[in-house]
């Protein structure tokens, strides 16, 4: 019986998660940590079917001693390697591959791990938002629109990437997209932003490309998730803004601005997460289009700045 190569086994595992590009990237990185070359990686040299319990304990010790990883990252790598092995044992059962994944030998205590980098408490000021958008408006109109959408809607990065041209409702002033879990979401925007999007759409619709994506990368394809934060990082550097600002910071900042304005918690949740037709909160809420728009306009926090 011909034994499949490691590459084939790994590709089969990754294909099982093709519904999520981010999941595939994370799992690929995890497997590279196990199979990749020294000194950075563990460098397991053999076939997958030859992995034994003692090798897994050695890998765990390798992870635990890694000074460049946070505890959270180490646990993720260990968990996803277990996922890979369990998948392989089930899918390739005809090859009688079985390995006992260690439990009692696994303990993360007894070592100081690297502190994870986080920006979960970072909130922008109005002045910083104004500076970022002013900088972009003068230099790159497309990126200005991208970050203005983030500013006004608090949309998740995944949703921003998934906006199609027909997702912009020019008459009703909202954008529809697909976010976490394949859920369709709608976000309202200001009249000014919609006017700018109409100008952009007139040019975008003339492009003969295979994708319906509203925003096209330099390869005339839908953007990858990392590109926006990478671009933003350079903008922050040019503006000498030292805060660790990412795309998600726009969402957190918008929610904070509304809270300061006195916007009730339930309304803030509706404005950040509503579906096209209804909103499911702790108490079921159902609003029509006019009510949504009125809610957006009432709690629009950028009336005193130029964006």
């Amino acid at each position: 019986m011909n034994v499949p190569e490691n590459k084939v086994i790994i590709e089969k595992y990754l294909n099982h998660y093709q519904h999520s590009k981010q999941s595939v990237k994370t799992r690929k990185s995890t497997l590279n940590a196990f199979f990749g070359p020294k000194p950075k990686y563990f460098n397991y040299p053999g076939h997958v079917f030859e992995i034994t319990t003692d090798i897994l304990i050695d890998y765990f010790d390798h992870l635990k001693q890694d000074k460049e990883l946070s505890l959270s990252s180490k646990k993720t790598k260990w968990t996803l390697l277990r996922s890979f092995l369990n998948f392989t044992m089930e899918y390739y059962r005809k090859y009688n591959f079985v390995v006992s994944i260690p439990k009692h030998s696994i303990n993360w205590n007894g070592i100081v791990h690297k502190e994870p980098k986080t920006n979960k408490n970072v909130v922008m000021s109005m002045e910083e938002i104004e500076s970022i958008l002013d900088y972009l408006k003068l230099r790159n109109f497309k990126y200005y629109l991208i970050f203005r959408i983030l500013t006004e809607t608090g949309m998740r990065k995944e949703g921003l990437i998934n906006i199609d041209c027909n997702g912009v409702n020019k008459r009703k002033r909202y954008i529809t997209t697909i976010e976490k879990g394949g859920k369709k979401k709608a976000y309202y925007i200001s009249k000014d932003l919609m006017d700018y999007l109409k100008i952009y759409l007139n040019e975008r619709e003339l492009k003969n490309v295979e994708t319906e994506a509203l925003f096209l990368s330099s390869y005339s394809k839908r953007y990858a998730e990392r590109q926006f934060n990478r671009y933003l990082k350079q903008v922050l550097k040019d503006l000498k803004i030292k805060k660790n600002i990412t795309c998600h910071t726009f969402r957190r900042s918008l929610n904070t601005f509304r809270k300061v304005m006195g916007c009730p918690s339930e309304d803030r949740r509706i404005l950040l997460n509503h579906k096209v037709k209804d909103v499911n909160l702790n108490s079921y809420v159902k609003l029509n289009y006019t009510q949504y728009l009125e809610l957006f306009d009432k709690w629009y926090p950028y009336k005193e700045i130029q964006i």
Side-chain angles (χ1 to χ4, degrees):
M1 185 181 297
N2 293 327
V3 176
E5 297 179 356
N6 284 355
K7 181 180 179 181
V8 173
I9 296 172
I10 291 171
E11 286 179 352
K12 179 61 69 174
Y13 171 70
L14 295 177
N15 284 338
H16 192 62
Y17 297 92
Q18 282 298 323
H19 59 279
S20 171
K21 291 182 180 179
Q22 188 58 46
S23 180
V24 170
K25 286 181 181 179
T26 303
R27 291 168 195 276
K28 186 181 291 186
S29 173
T30 292
L31 295 178
N32 193 43
F34 181 73
F35 291 100
K38 290 183 178 179
K40 186 175 181 180
Y41 304 115
F42 182 65
N43 191 34
Y44 172 68
H47 193 277
V48 172
F49 295 166
E50 296 170 349
I51 295 173
T52 55
T53 304
D54 57 320
I55 290 172
L56 294 178
I57 294 174
D58 287 343
Y59 176 62
F60 173 81
D61 290 338
H62 168 82
L63 275 181
K64 186 174 179 179
Q65 298 294 331
D66 194 322
K67 297 179 180 179
E68 298 301 316
L69 295 176
S70 67
L71 179 57
S72 175
S73 295
K74 294 175 183 180
K75 287 183 175 180
T76 297
K77 291 183 185 301
W78 178 249
T79 299
L80 293 184
L81 180 65
R82 287 168 47 202
S83 165
F84 168 70
L85 292 172
N86 284 322
F87 172 87
T88 303
M89 284 188 279
E90 289 185 350
Y91 190 87
Y92 293 99
R93 66 179 64 186
K94 66 180 179 182
Y95 294 97
N96 298 316
F97 167 56
V98 178
V99 58
S100 177
I101 300 175
K103 294 181 181 178
H104 302 297
S105 307
I106 305 307
N107 189 318
W108 296 104
N109 297 328
I111 191 170
V112 177
H113 305 279
K114 183 179 180 180
E115 288 295 321
K117 291 182 179 179
T118 178
N119 72 335
K120 65 179 181 180
N121 296 319
V122 175
V123 174
M124 288 182 284
S125 66
M126 288 287 185
E127 291 76 13
E128 286 165 339
I129 287 177
E130 192 172 25
S131 295
I132 290 169
L133 293 180
D134 183 61
Y135 176 97
L136 293 171
K137 196 172 187 179
L138 294 172
R139 291 166 176 80
N140 191 315
F141 185 61
K142 179 175 64 176
Y143 269 99
Y144 165 74
L145 293 178
I146 287 169
F147 284 98
R148 176 136 183 199
I149 288 173
L150 289 179
T151 298
E152 290 199 6
T153 67
M155 188 182 294
R156 292 183 174 88
K157 187 166 52 175
E158 180 184 18
L160 184 64
I161 291 168
N162 288 334
I163 301 173
D164 287 337
C165 291
N166 61 9
V168 180
N169 191 312
K170 300 177 185 178
R171 185 173 64 86
K172 291 193 170 183
R173 215 207 313 161
Y174 67 77
I175 299 170
T176 58
T177 187
I178 303 296
E179 284 192 354
K180 260 184 177 179
K183 293 181 179 178
K184 192 173 184 180
K185 299 289 182 71
Y187 291 92
Y188 288 87
I189 60 175
S190 67
K191 183 180 182 302
D192 284 346
L193 176 52
M194 182 56 78
D195 288 341
Y196 284 132
L197 281 172
K198 288 176 182 177
I199 295 171
Y200 173 80
L201 273 167
N202 288 337
E203 295 183 6
R204 167 65 184 88
E205 290 169 351
L206 294 176
K207 295 182 184 293
N208 184 19
V209 293
E210 295 180 357
T211 178
E212 292 298 315
L214 176 63
F215 298 115
L216 300 175
S217 71
S218 56
Y219 299 100
S220 295
K221 295 182 179 180
R222 202 177 293 272
Y223 275 97
E225 286 200 11
R226 294 183 179 181
Q227 286 176 276
F228 296 149
N229 276 334
R230 190 182 300 126
Y231 188 89
L232 178 60
K233 187 176 181 180
Q234 183 58 51
V235 173
L236 297 173
K237 183 179 179 181
D238 292 346
L239 292 173
K240 295 181 171 53
I241 296 175
K242 295 183 179 180
K243 285 183 182 177
N244 183 18
I245 296 170
T246 66
C247 290
H248 192 76
T249 311
F250 287 83
R251 182 179 180 87
R252 187 183 307 111
S253 300
L254 175 59
N255 205 39
T256 301
F257 296 149
R258 284 178 173 148
K259 182 177 181 179
V260 171
M261 292 174 71
C263 180
S265 175
E266 189 173 87
D267 287 354
R268 297 200 306 270
R269 293 168 67 190
I270 290 172
L271 287 165
L272 281 180
N273 298 288
H274 66 264
K275 300 178 186 178
V276 179
K277 293 183 179 178
D278 65 275
V279 181
N280 293 299
L281 302 175
N282 293 331
S283 57
Y284 186 80
V285 180
K286 191 169 185 178
L287 302 175
N288 61 32
Y289 160 73
T290 303
Q291 289 172 308
Y292 273 137
L293 196 57
E294 288 175 353
L295 201 63
F296 173 83
D297 289 338
K298 179 179 180 180
W299 300 114
Y300 183 75
Y302 306 114
K303 295 172 184 176
E304 302 302 321
I305 62 173
Q306 294 293 321
I307 60 173

